[in-house]
Amino acid sequence: MLVFVIPLKGREFSKSWERVTHLFERCIKSVCHQTSPDFRVIVVCNEQPEIEFHHPNITYLTVDFSDHKESLYINRGRTDKGRKILQGLVYAQQFAPTHTMALDADDCISRKLAEFVKNNPHSNGWFINQGYKYQEGSDYIYSKRNNFYRMCGSCNILRYDLNFLPEHPEYNRGYGYYKYYLDHAKVKDILTDKAQPISPLPFPGAIYILETGENLYYDRTKLTFSIFNRKKITQSMREEFGLYNLP
């Protein structure tokens, strides 16, 4: 059983709540298009978004983290995200997952993930080394053949105990308390140091969506796009990742 945890930003941190909702609806459709039914999705949000898509495997967990200890706006957003991920991971326990994956609410993932986890239940987990970068609205996509996990937060699938959940989770702490759940690029090395290494996923696992207007960390100006890695988006790719053009 793989449980996806999606921290959805609230209106407070959104430039356009309507845009956030459209991005999330595409994301959740992508997640629920798995080839195996053995998965659950926990969406941790300040308010449940109004979308037309529904699925019995989705649980909406409404929270109120209004206590902000960070003076910098971006750290307030990160802390809010970290609190939601932790809350979702704790809540996931009731589903008895073998693995969990924290997923950004604007990315798309391969429909093969749940089945792959089901077939490898005893693995420590995987980091997504291969994936794609996609500029919103384009007919092209860019292959990221290695180090995908360094740029995109939708990248680590962990055996549940390797989330190292605190015995008594706290949701009123500052950014540092949640760093393990936020610093996705460091998780692989942290687990290697703990003699619990995770493996590279053996296929491209996710699409990092850029130029949404709602990216918290990166935008097009901070990433390179080589024409040698560019290719036309095929229908089979759209079907595997649930990628479609937004209104």
Side-chain angles (χ1 to χ4, degrees), residues 192-204:
T192 297
D193 290 343
K194 291 180 177 291
Q196 298 277 9
I198 56 178
S199 305
L201 191 74
F203 55 87

Side-chain angles (χ1 to χ4, degrees), residues 173-207:
R173 300 283 292 272
Y175 169 70
Y177 183 76
Y178 311 98
K179 286 191 71 174
Y180 181 68
Y181 311 109
L182 295 169
D183 291 351
H184 53 85
K186 298 180 181 180
V187 169
K188 180 177 80 73
D189 291 339
I190 289 172
L191 291 176
T192 297
D193 290 343
K194 291 180 177 291
Q196 298 277 9
I198 56 178
S199 305
L201 191 74
F203 55 87
I207 298 177

Side-chain angles (χ1 to χ4, degrees), residues 6-8 17-31 41-45 48-51 53 58-60 104-107 244 246:
I6 303 179
L8 181 64
W17 177 245
E18 181 181 12
R19 186 65 166 173
V20 167
T21 300
H22 285 313
L23 288 163
F24 167 73
E25 183 167 16
R26 182 175 63 186
C27 171
I28 199 73
K29 287 178 178 178
S30 170
V31 173
V41 191
I42 300 170
V43 182
V44 190
C45 52
Q48 184 171 330
E50 296 183 3
I51 62 175
F53 179 77
I58 303 173
T59 298
Y60 288 95
D104 289 344
D106 53 3
D107 293 331
Y244 59 83
L246 296 181

Side-chain angles (χ1 to χ4, degrees), residues 135-189:
Q135 296 170 256
E136 190 61 58
S138 175
D139 292 328
Y140 294 90
I141 202 162
Y142 294 80
S143 297
K144 181 68 175 171
R145 294 183 175 87
N146 54 68
N147 294 328
F148 178 86
Y149 69 96
R150 293 189 178 276
M151 69 176 186
C152 179
S154 305
C155 64
N156 293 312
I157 303 172
L158 303 180
R159 198 178 70 210
Y160 187 63
D161 62 296
L162 296 182
N163 287 300
F164 303 123
L165 299 178
E167 184 176 357
H168 302 289
E170 300 179 49
Y171 303 105
N172 62 347
R173 300 283 292 272
Y175 169 70
Y177 183 76
Y178 311 98
K179 286 191 71 174
Y180 181 68
Y181 311 109
L182 295 169
D183 291 351
H184 53 85
K186 298 180 181 180
V187 169
K188 180 177 80 73
D189 291 339

Side-chain angles (χ1 to χ4, degrees), residues 9 67 80 111 208:
K9 67 166 70 174
D67 179 27
D80 180 76
R111 64 191 302 230
Y208 185 30

